[in-house]
């Protein structure tokens, strides 16, 4: 065994950290790593030079071979390798672009654990010695995701608890079709069953068609009621590698709002069955570096919903929702975020809006210093919501002193502002006045899946009907004001 | 742990500014049928609302119409409230000189009730709901107040309360063996609201202890679990009878026979009583049931047609009782 092997074995035994190595051994390890990097760099530079010098070299893709692709339909695979099969003859540069495109298409479907691409040049035939065309067979070695996946668990916290079970079937028909069944029972959601089927549209990973069947019962504490919802939503969304993406959805649901210790007459008058059919359009522009806690970039979303498409619908409205976020890095330690939200519900065809469709403002993820749905009119402790709303927030995110700069814990100062307007008349009368404002400071933890906040909050100005939250306020979520 | 006074005082200064919001009368969003009064009522902050399934203007005699709750319990409670508070039901040209009180009847969905049963009594003070009394509690309160003594009166009152089971049975009989017309009359249910109708029929069976009393009729429903295809077919074709519903018809016939056997005895008992609170309440409960049967059940229904045919005098007496209010 030579010195390198001996060292490698020693590093492996020590878990790779080299804690028990002598000074000389550490120096040797460093030099070995340096040599490895240098070789990789040299190799990469050589390949780049070779490719750039031969970028116009004609390449003929004889065929595309797939190993371990038995779980996929031929038509599906053919669609993914279309960039390679589109033309008979390619330049070397185009050939690599086509390889990348095919690889990305496969990855985007999220049905592969890994994918290795090997290139096999075919030997030239005796009569082709004068031709400069190289015949190549790319081989895609696929490692599919596990087809069946189940998980179960419980969530406890914040005075709530639930248990869930989820089954997931991936690549059901060999074309990246996914089927998810989800059942939840908890204190806030006594029962929820969801069946979610999704598949790429026309086998193209850029367009996803998603159909959701749902049956659930949710307690709405803000209006002391509970709502049983049964419905189906069909949605087509884009997954373009661009800043802007779109979605269009068609939703049908039957909602039954029932009394759950309610005292508000306004809400009582709304307790009934509603049949809703909606068409929803959504456009998103996103350049943020992180969706949960961005330090740079901007985000904008415009949503339009038109409800009451059929004769059997007993509610009708149009809804417009705007959301934006602008993040800017001030220096190494500080960044600011400016967020706005606004919404309008109109065109209710002469009837008042339904309480389930109205907007609500306030809460730890919205206008802080107020309880959930705490801003706006109330009747006997029930939040009535409003047809229009505006809210905004300015946050300063800072590194905690004497803590590593890559730590996920950050300091957070903010000012939030918001107002809910009951109807159009109130909007025109008091748009520019009497806003509810909250300020606060706290600590946040930026987990890749969600953001956790613990803030000390104080309301600065409020309307007499607002539900105020003074002191510590805790928030978890992916979307914050 | 007690918060130190200075800290508490500092906390109390927030919010630094509070904007007043105009108080609203959320009653405006409801369809109201105010009770009338002969007296000029002093305005009071306290008021009550009786939430019922539906209210219909009904001509009880030529030229004499009233806005009536369309179910016996709702009508009986409305009349009892009228008696207790010296109020009158809205409607009728002869009432033009009366003033509207702030108390009213409001049609609401049964989903508005905490136990999915109407009527409910909502008492408010300055727009704040003080109390929501459910149907069962109203009946218990009436019984406690009017029939604390007197075993016979209490028994008759119990019989009149259990007529709710017969009412539920009749509604279901109509829906299963005739048409959904009764649901339109009593609940203003839309004929196009199929899902809502199925849900309503499901809920009706929980009223008046019907499901507990006639649990045996549900055996074939339990069998449905073993035959899901048949269940799906039944659901799609609507709540219509099948050959296995023979038991339902028999039980209904027995219930009707029992009612018509007891009715003359009860009517005679009430007629023979001296004027009292107990007599008035019993009279109202019986009158409310008979008036609802005659006016809000289809004329082809067994109960309505037999009442008109064999007990017209009693029906006329009941109409007179209602017209007193």
């Amino acid at each position: 065994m030579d010195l390198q092997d001996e060292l490698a074995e020693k590093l492996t035994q020590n878990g790779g950290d080299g804690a028990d190595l002598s000074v000389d051994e550490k120096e040797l390890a460093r030099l070995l790593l340096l040599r490895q990097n240098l070789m990789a760099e040299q190799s990469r530079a050589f390949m780049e030079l070779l490719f750039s010098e031969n970028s116009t070299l004609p390449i003929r893709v004889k065929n595309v071979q797939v190993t371990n692709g038995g779980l996929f339909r031929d038509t599906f695979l053919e669609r993914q390798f279309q960039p390679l099969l589109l033309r008979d003859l390619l330049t070397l540069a185009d050939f690599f672009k086509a390889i990348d495109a095919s690889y990305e298409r496969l990855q985007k479907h999220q049905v592969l654990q890994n994918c290795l691409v090997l290139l096999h040049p075919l030997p030239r035939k005796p009569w082709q010695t004068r031709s400069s065309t190289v015949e190549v067979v790319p081989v895609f070695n696929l490692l599919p995701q596990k087809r069946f996946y189940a998980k179960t668990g419980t969530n406890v916290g914040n005075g709530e608890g639930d248990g869930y079970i989820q089954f997931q079937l991936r690549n059901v028909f060999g074309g990246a079709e996914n089927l998810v069944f989800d059942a939840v029972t908890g204190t806030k959601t006594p029962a929820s069953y969801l069946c979610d089927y999704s598949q790429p549209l026309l086998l193209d990973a850029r367009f996803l068609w998603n159909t959701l069947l749902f049956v659930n019962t949710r307690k709405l504490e803000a209006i002391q009621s509970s709502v049983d919802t049964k419905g189906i939503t069909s949605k087509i969304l884009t997954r373009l590698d661009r800043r802007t993406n779109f979605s269009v959805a068609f939703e049908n649901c039957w909602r039954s709002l029932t009394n759950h210790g309610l005292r508000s007459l306004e809400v009582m008058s709304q307790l009934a069955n509603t049949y809703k059919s909606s068409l929803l359009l959504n456009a998103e522009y996103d350049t943020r570096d992180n969706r949960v806690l961005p330090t740079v970039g901007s985000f904008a979303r415009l949503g339009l919903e038109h409800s009451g498409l059929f004769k059997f619908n007993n509610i009708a409205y149009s809804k417009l929702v705007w959301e934006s976020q602008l993040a800017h890095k001030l220096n190494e330690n500080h960044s600011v975020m400016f967020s706005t939200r606004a919404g309008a519900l109109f065109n209710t065809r002469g009837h008042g809006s339904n309480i389930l469709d109205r907007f609500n403002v306030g809460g730890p993820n919205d206008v802080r210093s107020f309880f959930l749905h705490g801003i706006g009119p109330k009747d006997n402790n029930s939040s009535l919501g409003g047809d229009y709303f505006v809210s905004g927030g300015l946050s300063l995110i800072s590194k905690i002193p004497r803590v590593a700069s890559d730590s996920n814990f950050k300091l957070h100062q903010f000012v939030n502002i918001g107002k809910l307007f009951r109807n159009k008349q109130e909007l025109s009368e008091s748009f520019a006045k009497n806003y509810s404002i909250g300020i606060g400071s706290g600590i946040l933890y930026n987990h890749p899946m969600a953001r956790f906040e613990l803030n000390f909050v104080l309301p600065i100005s409020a309307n007499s009907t607002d539900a105020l939250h003074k002191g510590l306020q805790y928030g978890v979520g992916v979307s914050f004001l | 742990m007690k918060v130190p006074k200075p800290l508490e005082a500092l906390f109390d200064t927030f919010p630094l500014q509070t904007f007043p919001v105009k108080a609203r009368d959320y009653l405006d969003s409801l369809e109201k049928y105010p009770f009338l009064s002969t007296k000029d009522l002093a305005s009071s902050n306290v008021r009550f609302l009786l939430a019922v399934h539906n209210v219909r203007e009904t001509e009880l005699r030529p030229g004499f119409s009233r806005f009536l709750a369309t179910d016996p319990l709702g009508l009986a409670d409305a009349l009892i409230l009228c008696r207790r508070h010296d109020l009158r039901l809205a409607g009728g040209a002869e009432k033009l000189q009366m003033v509207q009180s702030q108390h009213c009847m409001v049609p609401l969905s049964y989903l508005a009730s905490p136990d999915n049963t109407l009527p409910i009594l909502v008492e408010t003070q300055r727009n704040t709901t003080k109390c929501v009394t459910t149907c069962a509690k109203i009946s218990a309160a009436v019984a406690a107040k009017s029939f604390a003594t007197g075993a016979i009166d209490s028994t008759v009152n119990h019989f009149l309360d259990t007529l709710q089971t017969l009412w539920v049975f009749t509604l279901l009989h109509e829906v299963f063996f005739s048409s959904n017309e009764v649901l339109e009359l009593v609940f203003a249910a839309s004929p196009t609201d199929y899902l809502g109708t199925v849900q309503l029929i499901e809920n009706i069976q929980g009223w008046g202890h019907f499901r507990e009393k006639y649990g045996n009729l549900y055996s074939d429903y339990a069998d449905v679990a073993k035959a899901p295809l048949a269940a799906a077919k039944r659901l799609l074709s609507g709540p219509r009878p099948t050959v296995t519903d023979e038991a339902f018809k028999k039980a209904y016939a027995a219930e009707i026979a029992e009612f018509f056997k007891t009715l003359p005895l009860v009517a005679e008992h009430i007629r023979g009583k001296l004027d009292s609170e107990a007599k008035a309440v019993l009279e109202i409960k019986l009158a409310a049931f008979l008036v609802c049967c005659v006016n809000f059940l289809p004329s082809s229904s067994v109960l309505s047609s037999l009442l008109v045919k064999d007990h017209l005098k009693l029906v006329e007496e009941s109409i007179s009782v209602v017209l007193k209010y």
Side-chain angles (χ1 to χ4, degrees), chain A residues 228 230 254 256-266 268-273 275 312 314 377-380 384 422-423 426 429 433-436 439 456-465 468 470-471, chain B residues 10-22 24 26-27 29-30 47 49 51 106 108-116 120 122-124 127-132 192-200:
Chain A
D228 293 338
K230 297 171 185 73
W254 169 25
S256 190
L257 190 62
T258 54
N259 192 327
H260 204 84
L262 176 67
R263 282 174 171 256
S264 160
L265 290 167
E266 159 90 10
M268 267 186 203
S269 69
Q270 304 242 1
L271 300 186
N273 289 307
Y275 308 99
F312 65 82
N314 55 0
K378 308 273 181 305
D379 177 29
N380 286 284
L384 300 178
R422 194 169 158 72
N423 48 36
E426 202 173 295
E429 280 172 4
K433 56 187 181 186
N434 300 357
Y435 275 77
S436 303
I439 58 162
F456 180 79
V457 296
L458 284 172
I460 296 296
S461 69
N463 287 281
S464 59
T465 53
L468 310 173
K470 298 180 202 176
Chain B
L10 180 70
F11 254 59
D12 288 344
T13 56
F14 291 94
L16 302 175
Q17 198 176 9
T18 303
F19 311 113
V21 175
K22 259 191 280 177
R24 272 194 179 77
Y26 291 107
L27 222 64
S29 57
L30 299 169
R47 63 179 161 194
L49 291 94
V106 282
L108 284 181
S109 162
Y110 64 93
L111 297 171
S113 167
D115 58 0
N116 283 2
I120 52 170
V122 183
E123 290 166 73
T124 67
N127 287 334
T128 305
T129 303
K130 287 283 165 201
C131 182
V132 178
T192 55
D193 181 4
Y194 176 74
L195 293 171
T197 303
V198 170
Q199 194 189 29
L200 173 65

Side-chain angles (χ1 to χ4, degrees), chain A residues 135-148:
Chain A
E135 289 192 336
V136 175
V137 174
V139 180
F140 285 76
N141 194 355
L142 308 181
L143 182 61
Q145 292 255 26
K146 285 190 177 73
R147 205 158 192 183
F148 179 72

Side-chain angles (χ1 to χ4, degrees), chain B residues 132-280:
Chain B
V132 178
T133 312
T134 58
C135 174
K137 283 184 181 168
I138 297 172
S139 296
V142 169
K145 197 160 185 177
S146 309
F147 309 106
T149 56
I152 299 175
D153 285 351
S154 187
T155 309
V156 173
N157 178 56
H158 180 70
F159 167 77
L160 293 173
D161 282 345
T162 54
L163 287 182
Q164 177 68 1
T165 314
L166 176 61
W167 176 253
V168 167
F169 219 151
T170 305
L171 295 180
L172 294 173
H173 189 268
E174 282 301 305
V175 171
F176 289 173
F177 301 102
S178 183
S179 73
N180 285 356
E181 186 196 347
V182 70
L183 301 182
E184 286 175 59
L185 287 166
V186 177
F187 304 101
S190 164
T192 55
D193 181 4
Y194 176 74
L195 293 171
T197 303
V198 170
Q199 194 189 29
L200 173 65
I201 294 165
E202 182 64 27
N203 268 282
I204 286 174
Q205 294 169 47
W207 301 346
H209 304 289
F210 179 81
R211 210 185 287 268
E212 288 95 319
K213 191 173 175 187
Y214 291 104
N216 59 316
L217 298 180
Y218 289 89
S219 55
D220 60 326
Y221 286 89
D223 289 343
V224 156
K226 295 172 200 160
L229 269 176
K233 202 175 165 188
R234 192 184 177 109
L235 187 74
L236 291 170
S237 64
R240 293 283 175 269
T242 63
V243 283
T244 54
D245 289 325
E246 223 27 65
F248 187 97
K249 286 180 187 170
K250 275 185 187 167
Y252 182 61
E255 183 86 24
I256 286 273
E258 182 67 28
F259 170 70
F260 280 110
K261 199 169 87 182
T262 322
L263 182 64
L265 298 173
V266 170
E268 202 52 46
H269 172 78
I270 296 171
R271 268 191 219 113
K273 273 183 75 68
L274 294 173
D275 281 349
S276 64
E277 180 68 17
K279 179 180 176 169

Side-chain angles (χ1 to χ4, degrees), chain A residues 22-209:
Chain A
S22 68
V23 179
D24 288 342
E25 282 172 332
K26 276 184 184 170
E27 179 60 17
L28 185 59
R30 193 184 65 80
L31 287 171
L32 274 172
L33 191 69
L34 200 69
R35 194 181 75 168
Q36 260 179 17
N37 288 344
L38 211 67
M39 279 169 68
E41 183 63 25
Q42 266 184 348
S43 165
R44 196 180 61 80
F46 172 74
M47 293 298 279
E48 269 182 14
L49 185 72
L50 192 69
F51 291 151
S52 63
E53 279 177 357
N54 296 288
S55 62
T56 54
L57 184 77
I59 301 283
R60 174 169 286 123
V61 180
K62 197 75 179 162
N63 58 53
V64 179
Q65 290 184 4
V66 180
T67 59
N68 213 7
L71 290 175
F72 300 99
R73 290 199 311 266
D74 291 351
T75 46
F76 173 75
L77 291 173
E78 199 178 321
R79 185 78 169 90
Q80 310 319 306
F81 299 128
Q82 203 181 35
L84 284 164
L85 303 170
L86 213 57
R87 280 181 292 160
D88 190 33
L89 212 57
L90 297 159
T91 63
L92 185 65
D94 286 345
F95 172 69
F96 283 121
K97 276 183 197 162
I99 290 272
D100 282 348
S102 296
Y103 178 83
E104 276 164 21
R105 281 184 179 201
L106 281 167
Q107 286 293 349
K108 214 173 206 174
H109 287 295
Q110 297 176 344
V111 284
L112 296 179
Q113 262 184 44
N114 206 350
C115 173
L116 288 169
V117 187
L118 299 169
L119 300 178
H120 284 294
L122 296 180
R124 288 173 190 240
K125 305 278 185 320
W127 58 90
Q128 289 175 329
T129 46
R130 287 195 174 182
S131 164
S132 60
T133 305
V134 180
E135 289 192 336
V136 175
V137 174
V139 180
F140 285 76
N141 194 355
L142 308 181
L143 182 61
Q145 292 255 26
K146 285 190 177 73
R147 205 158 192 183
F148 179 72
Y149 178 77
K151 77 175 172 182
T152 177
T154 51
N155 297 311
V156 182
N158 220 8
E160 293 167 24
D162 64 53
Y164 64 89
I165 185 160
Q166 190 184 75
F167 300 102
Q168 189 168 6
L169 269 170
R170 286 183 204 267
N171 194 26
V172 187
F173 306 116
E177 301 87 355
N178 284 343
L179 184 69
V180 178
F181 176 75
D182 200 43
V184 179
T185 179
T187 51
K188 202 167 184 177
T189 307
S192 169
Y193 303 96
L194 185 146
C195 187
D196 183 355
Y197 173 79
S198 63
Q199 69 164 71
L201 199 66
L202 303 171
L203 304 175
D204 192 334
R206 294 172 303 167
F207 304 98
L208 190 75
W209 174 37

